[in-house]
Amino acid sequence: MNNQDTDKRQEQSKKRKYKQFLKWLCKPQTLRLLFQIAPVIYQMMKWLIELLQI
């Protein structure tokens, strides 16, 4: 019985964290930051792929 209670609490905690993450992700500041960083990450990945192909 106690084990089931802890499982439920852990599951609820995961859901709560997920909702908090989504709320944070949908903030305009976060989205703006992601759009600014995306080209840099893309260039780094492209550079790494080219480096590995040599």
Side-chain angles (χ1 to χ4, degrees), residues 29-49:
Q29 298 97 341
T30 308
L31 289 173
R32 196 175 305 123
L33 182 67
L34 286 174
F35 280 115
Q36 289 174 348
I37 292 175
V40 176
I41 294 173
Y42 174 75
Q43 288 296 328
M44 288 175 67
M45 293 295 288
K46 190 175 169 185
W47 178 77
L48 279 172
I49 290 170

Side-chain angles (χ1 to χ4, degrees), residues 1-15:
M1 194 71 170
N2 193 13
N3 194 17
Q4 289 177 343
D5 291 341
T6 56
D7 287 345
K8 286 182 182 179
R9 283 193 195 131
Q10 286 177 346
E11 194 171 314
Q12 288 175 348
S13 177
K14 284 181 184 178
K15 286 181 183 178

